[in-house]
Short mmCIF file of all heavy atoms in Angstrom, two decimals:
data_model
loop_
_atom_site.label_atom_id
_atom_site.label_comp_id
_atom_site.label_asym_id
_atom_site.label_seq_id
_atom_site.Cartn_x
_atom_site.Cartn_y
_atom_site.Cartn_z
N LYS A 177 98.94 117.57 135.95
CA LYS A 177 100.27 117.31 136.47
C LYS A 177 100.10 117.54 138.04
O LYS A 177 99.52 118.58 138.53
CB LYS A 177 101.19 118.31 135.93
CG LYS A 177 102.61 118.10 136.31
CD LYS A 177 103.52 118.54 135.16
CE LYS A 177 104.98 118.10 135.59
NZ LYS A 177 105.99 118.87 135.01
N ASN A 178 100.78 116.66 138.80
CA ASN A 178 100.76 116.72 140.25
C ASN A 178 102.09 117.03 140.90
O ASN A 178 103.05 116.55 140.40
CB ASN A 178 100.44 115.29 140.76
CG ASN A 178 99.15 114.76 140.15
OD1 ASN A 178 98.04 115.37 140.13
ND2 ASN A 178 99.07 113.51 139.53
N LEU A 179 101.93 117.75 141.98
CA LEU A 179 103.06 118.06 142.91
C LEU A 179 102.80 117.51 144.23
O LEU A 179 101.68 117.71 144.83
CB LEU A 179 103.37 119.71 142.79
CG LEU A 179 104.17 120.29 143.81
CD1 LEU A 179 105.80 119.62 143.44
CD2 LEU A 179 104.35 121.69 143.69
N ILE A 180 103.77 116.97 144.77
CA ILE A 180 103.66 116.47 146.16
C ILE A 180 104.75 117.21 147.03
O ILE A 180 105.91 116.91 146.96
CB ILE A 180 103.89 114.91 146.26
CG1 ILE A 180 102.78 114.19 145.30
CG2 ILE A 180 103.65 114.35 147.65
CD1 ILE A 180 103.47 113.15 144.40
N ILE A 181 104.23 118.05 147.93
CA ILE A 181 105.12 118.82 148.87
C ILE A 181 104.90 118.18 150.02
O ILE A 181 103.90 117.94 150.65
CB ILE A 181 104.62 120.33 148.92
CG1 ILE A 181 104.70 121.02 147.62
CG2 ILE A 181 105.49 120.99 149.99
CD1 ILE A 181 104.14 122.47 147.61
N TYR A 182 106.21 117.80 150.76
CA TYR A 182 106.00 117.17 151.98
C TYR A 182 107.21 117.50 153.01
O TYR A 182 108.28 117.87 152.59
CB TYR A 182 106.07 115.56 151.86
CG TYR A 182 107.39 115.03 151.49
CD1 TYR A 182 108.27 114.45 152.41
CD2 TYR A 182 107.81 115.01 150.08
CE1 TYR A 182 109.37 113.94 152.04
CE2 TYR A 182 108.93 114.47 149.75
CZ TYR A 182 109.84 113.81 150.66
OH TYR A 182 110.97 113.33 150.35
N TYR A 183 106.91 117.36 154.25
CA TYR A 183 107.93 117.36 155.28
C TYR A 183 107.87 116.12 156.13
O TYR A 183 106.71 115.59 156.36
CB TYR A 183 107.69 118.58 156.27
CG TYR A 183 108.76 118.53 157.42
CD1 TYR A 183 110.02 119.09 157.22
CD2 TYR A 183 108.50 117.85 158.61
CE1 TYR A 183 110.95 118.88 158.15
CE2 TYR A 183 109.48 117.59 159.60
CZ TYR A 183 110.62 118.19 159.38
OH TYR A 183 111.58 117.98 160.24
N SER A 184 108.89 115.42 156.28
CA SER A 184 108.94 114.17 157.02
C SER A 184 110.14 114.18 158.08
O SER A 184 111.10 114.70 157.78
CB SER A 184 109.02 113.03 156.03
OG SER A 184 108.70 111.89 156.63
N ARG A 185 109.90 113.50 159.22
CA ARG A 185 110.86 113.43 160.16
C ARG A 185 111.32 111.94 160.27
O ARG A 185 110.53 111.09 160.49
CB ARG A 185 110.38 113.89 161.44
CG ARG A 185 111.37 113.65 162.67
CD ARG A 185 110.78 114.21 164.02
NE ARG A 185 111.62 113.92 165.11
CZ ARG A 185 112.67 114.41 165.62
NH1 ARG A 185 113.10 115.45 164.76
NH2 ARG A 185 113.44 113.96 166.64
N LYS A 186 112.66 111.70 160.08
CA LYS A 186 113.26 110.44 160.29
C LYS A 186 113.81 110.46 161.66
O LYS A 186 113.94 111.45 162.28
CB LYS A 186 114.21 109.84 159.23
CG LYS A 186 114.91 110.94 158.67
CD LYS A 186 115.77 110.45 157.43
CE LYS A 186 115.65 110.91 156.05
NZ LYS A 186 115.03 112.07 155.57
N GLY A 187 114.34 109.28 162.24
CA GLY A 187 114.94 109.22 163.49
C GLY A 187 113.82 108.93 164.60
O GLY A 187 112.92 108.36 164.31
N GLU A 188 114.02 109.70 165.66
CA GLU A 188 113.04 109.41 166.82
C GLU A 188 111.71 109.97 166.46
O GLU A 188 111.55 111.16 166.15
CB GLU A 188 113.60 110.00 168.08
CG GLU A 188 114.72 109.40 168.72
CD GLU A 188 115.12 110.00 170.05
OE1 GLU A 188 114.47 110.74 170.58
OE2 GLU A 188 116.11 109.41 170.69
N ASN A 189 110.73 109.13 166.52
CA ASN A 189 109.27 109.53 166.39
C ASN A 189 108.37 108.84 167.44
O ASN A 189 108.75 107.85 167.89
CB ASN A 189 108.76 109.03 165.00
CG ASN A 189 109.11 110.07 163.90
OD1 ASN A 189 108.30 110.77 163.43
ND2 ASN A 189 110.35 109.97 163.31
N TYR A 190 107.30 109.39 167.62
CA TYR A 190 106.30 108.83 168.50
C TYR A 190 105.56 107.84 167.74
O TYR A 190 105.25 108.00 166.58
CB TYR A 190 105.21 109.96 168.96
CG TYR A 190 104.38 109.55 170.02
CD1 TYR A 190 104.86 109.46 171.40
CD2 TYR A 190 103.05 109.24 169.95
CE1 TYR A 190 104.14 109.03 172.47
CE2 TYR A 190 102.33 108.75 170.95
CZ TYR A 190 102.82 108.59 172.27
OH TYR A 190 102.15 108.39 173.27
N TRP A 191 105.49 106.71 168.37
CA TRP A 191 105.08 105.49 167.57
C TRP A 191 104.18 104.59 168.53
O TRP A 191 104.78 103.94 169.50
CB TRP A 191 106.15 104.75 167.14
CG TRP A 191 105.96 103.59 166.27
CD1 TRP A 191 105.66 102.34 166.62
CD2 TRP A 191 106.16 103.61 164.71
NE1 TRP A 191 105.61 101.51 165.39
CE2 TRP A 191 105.88 102.32 164.33
CE3 TRP A 191 106.52 104.59 163.86
CZ2 TRP A 191 105.91 101.91 163.13
CZ3 TRP A 191 106.62 104.21 162.63
CH2 TRP A 191 106.27 102.87 162.09
N ASN A 192 102.97 104.59 168.40
CA ASN A 192 101.99 103.71 169.16
C ASN A 192 102.35 103.84 170.70
O ASN A 192 102.40 102.88 171.43
CB ASN A 192 102.14 102.21 168.81
CG ASN A 192 101.34 102.07 167.49
OD1 ASN A 192 100.36 102.78 167.28
ND2 ASN A 192 101.66 101.08 166.75
N GLY A 193 102.53 105.06 171.29
CA GLY A 193 102.66 105.25 172.73
C GLY A 193 104.02 105.26 173.18
O GLY A 193 104.25 105.53 174.32
N SER A 194 105.10 105.18 172.33
CA SER A 194 106.44 105.25 172.78
C SER A 194 107.31 105.92 171.78
O SER A 194 106.81 106.13 170.61
CB SER A 194 106.95 103.87 173.27
OG SER A 194 107.01 102.98 172.06
N VAL A 195 108.49 106.16 171.95
CA VAL A 195 109.38 106.70 170.94
C VAL A 195 110.20 105.66 170.31
O VAL A 195 110.69 104.65 170.97
CB VAL A 195 110.23 107.80 171.65
CG1 VAL A 195 111.39 108.26 170.57
CG2 VAL A 195 109.43 108.86 172.17
N LYS A 196 110.23 105.71 168.93
CA LYS A 196 110.92 104.68 168.14
C LYS A 196 111.77 105.43 167.12
O LYS A 196 111.52 106.38 166.60
CB LYS A 196 109.80 103.79 167.57
CG LYS A 196 110.49 102.79 166.66
CD LYS A 196 109.30 101.92 165.83
CE LYS A 196 109.89 100.88 164.93
NZ LYS A 196 108.90 100.12 164.30
N ASN A 197 112.98 104.78 166.84
CA ASN A 197 113.81 105.28 165.75
C ASN A 197 113.48 104.68 164.41
O ASN A 197 113.53 103.45 164.28
CB ASN A 197 115.18 104.94 166.19
CG ASN A 197 116.23 105.91 165.52
OD1 ASN A 197 116.05 106.32 164.33
ND2 ASN A 197 117.37 106.24 166.27
N ILE A 198 113.16 105.61 163.45
CA ILE A 198 112.71 105.15 162.23
C ILE A 198 113.79 105.58 161.09
O ILE A 198 114.17 106.77 161.09
CB ILE A 198 111.28 105.33 161.83
CG1 ILE A 198 110.97 106.95 161.87
CG2 ILE A 198 110.31 104.67 162.79
CD1 ILE A 198 109.46 107.21 161.42
N ALA A 199 114.08 104.69 160.13
CA ALA A 199 114.94 105.19 159.13
C ALA A 199 114.37 106.10 158.00
O ALA A 199 115.08 106.95 157.43
CB ALA A 199 115.60 103.99 158.42
N LYS A 200 113.07 105.97 157.80
CA LYS A 200 112.40 106.78 156.83
C LYS A 200 111.06 107.33 157.46
O LYS A 200 110.37 106.66 158.05
CB LYS A 200 112.08 106.03 155.52
CG LYS A 200 111.40 106.80 154.45
CD LYS A 200 110.92 106.04 153.26
CE LYS A 200 111.93 105.75 152.26
NZ LYS A 200 111.45 105.19 151.03
N GLY A 201 110.89 108.65 157.35
CA GLY A 201 109.83 109.24 157.93
C GLY A 201 108.51 108.78 157.45
O GLY A 201 108.29 108.36 156.21
N ASN A 202 107.49 108.76 158.26
CA ASN A 202 106.17 108.24 157.92
C ASN A 202 105.61 108.96 156.77
O ASN A 202 104.98 108.53 155.82
CB ASN A 202 105.19 108.26 159.12
CG ASN A 202 105.61 107.38 160.29
OD1 ASN A 202 106.24 106.33 159.98
ND2 ASN A 202 105.53 107.89 161.33
N THR A 203 105.82 110.40 156.85
CA THR A 203 105.14 111.23 155.75
C THR A 203 105.80 111.01 154.46
O THR A 203 105.23 111.07 153.40
CB THR A 203 105.12 112.68 156.14
OG1 THR A 203 104.57 112.88 157.47
CG2 THR A 203 104.42 113.54 155.12
N GLU A 204 107.09 110.72 154.43
CA GLU A 204 107.85 110.50 153.14
C GLU A 204 107.26 109.16 152.54
O GLU A 204 107.15 109.16 151.31
CB GLU A 204 109.34 110.42 153.56
CG GLU A 204 110.20 110.11 152.23
CD GLU A 204 111.61 109.99 152.50
OE1 GLU A 204 112.14 110.13 153.64
OE2 GLU A 204 112.40 109.82 151.53
N ILE A 205 107.06 108.20 153.32
CA ILE A 205 106.49 106.90 152.87
C ILE A 205 105.10 107.23 152.16
O ILE A 205 104.91 106.81 151.01
CB ILE A 205 106.24 105.92 154.02
CG1 ILE A 205 107.55 105.44 154.58
CG2 ILE A 205 105.43 104.77 153.55
CD1 ILE A 205 107.56 104.63 155.89
N VAL A 206 104.24 107.97 152.71
CA VAL A 206 102.99 108.28 152.22
C VAL A 206 103.10 109.06 150.93
O VAL A 206 102.50 108.89 150.02
CB VAL A 206 102.09 109.03 153.29
CG1 VAL A 206 100.89 109.41 152.66
CG2 VAL A 206 101.85 108.01 154.44
N ALA A 207 104.01 110.09 150.99
CA ALA A 207 104.19 110.97 149.73
C ALA A 207 104.69 109.97 148.55
O ALA A 207 104.21 110.25 147.46
CB ALA A 207 105.29 112.00 150.09
N GLN A 208 105.61 109.06 148.83
CA GLN A 208 106.04 108.20 147.81
C GLN A 208 104.84 107.41 147.32
O GLN A 208 104.80 107.00 146.17
CB GLN A 208 107.17 107.43 148.33
CG GLN A 208 108.47 108.24 148.36
CD GLN A 208 109.62 107.69 149.09
OE1 GLN A 208 109.53 106.55 149.59
NE2 GLN A 208 110.85 108.24 148.82
N PHE A 209 103.91 106.96 148.18
CA PHE A 209 102.76 106.23 147.70
C PHE A 209 101.99 106.96 146.80
O PHE A 209 101.36 106.43 145.88
CB PHE A 209 101.85 105.73 148.89
CG PHE A 209 102.59 104.59 149.75
CD1 PHE A 209 102.22 104.45 151.07
CD2 PHE A 209 103.55 103.73 149.26
CE1 PHE A 209 102.66 103.29 151.84
CE2 PHE A 209 104.14 102.77 149.98
CZ PHE A 209 103.82 102.59 151.21
N ILE A 210 101.70 108.19 147.12
CA ILE A 210 100.98 109.24 146.28
C ILE A 210 101.51 109.22 144.88
O ILE A 210 100.90 109.05 143.82
CB ILE A 210 100.84 110.55 146.91
CG1 ILE A 210 99.99 110.57 148.14
CG2 ILE A 210 100.12 111.49 145.88
CD1 ILE A 210 100.09 111.84 148.93
N GLN A 211 102.92 109.45 144.86
CA GLN A 211 103.68 109.57 143.61
C GLN A 211 103.45 108.24 142.83
O GLN A 211 103.24 108.38 141.63
CB GLN A 211 105.06 109.91 143.85
CG GLN A 211 105.88 109.99 142.67
CD GLN A 211 107.33 110.26 142.77
OE1 GLN A 211 108.01 109.60 143.63
NE2 GLN A 211 108.01 111.18 142.10
N LYS A 212 103.56 107.11 143.43
CA LYS A 212 103.46 105.86 142.75
C LYS A 212 102.12 105.59 142.14
O LYS A 212 101.85 105.15 141.12
CB LYS A 212 103.88 104.78 143.74
CG LYS A 212 103.83 103.36 143.13
CD LYS A 212 104.26 102.27 144.06
CE LYS A 212 104.05 100.90 143.51
NZ LYS A 212 104.30 99.85 144.53
N ALA A 213 101.06 106.18 142.94
CA ALA A 213 99.70 105.89 142.49
C ALA A 213 99.28 106.87 141.27
O ALA A 213 98.52 106.44 140.45
CB ALA A 213 98.73 106.16 143.65
N VAL A 214 99.61 108.08 141.36
CA VAL A 214 99.16 109.17 140.44
C VAL A 214 100.18 109.93 139.66
O VAL A 214 99.96 110.71 138.86
CB VAL A 214 98.25 110.13 141.20
CG1 VAL A 214 96.95 109.51 141.60
CG2 VAL A 214 98.85 110.96 142.18
N GLY A 215 101.42 109.58 139.98
CA GLY A 215 102.47 110.28 139.35
C GLY A 215 102.67 111.69 139.93
O GLY A 215 101.95 112.15 140.80
N GLY A 216 103.71 112.31 139.55
CA GLY A 216 104.06 113.73 139.95
C GLY A 216 105.48 113.86 140.46
O GLY A 216 106.12 112.92 140.53
#
């Protein structure tokens, strides 16, 4: 059984050398990919 603990920042983020506003945080996206791959 898997648990995925995450903190993620939406809104203003550093992005390839500048600041960009993002609707979903990068870490949340990755956490959801983990869940999709292995469950949890």
Side-chain angles (χ1 to χ4, degrees):
K177 190 152 186 206
N178 303 310
L179 173 63
I180 304 136
I181 298 172
Y182 73 96
Y183 175 85
S184 194
R185 177 177 167 82
K186 30 183 123 19
E188 288 189 3
N189 272 264
Y190 194 72
W191 189 279
N192 284 333
S194 63
V195 175
K196 177 180 176 179
N197 202 322
I198 58 176
K200 183 185 271 192
N202 299 323
T203 307
E204 181 178 7
I205 291 168
V206 173
Q208 290 173 342
F209 288 159
I210 294 167
Q211 183 186 42
K212 184 177 174 186
V214 297

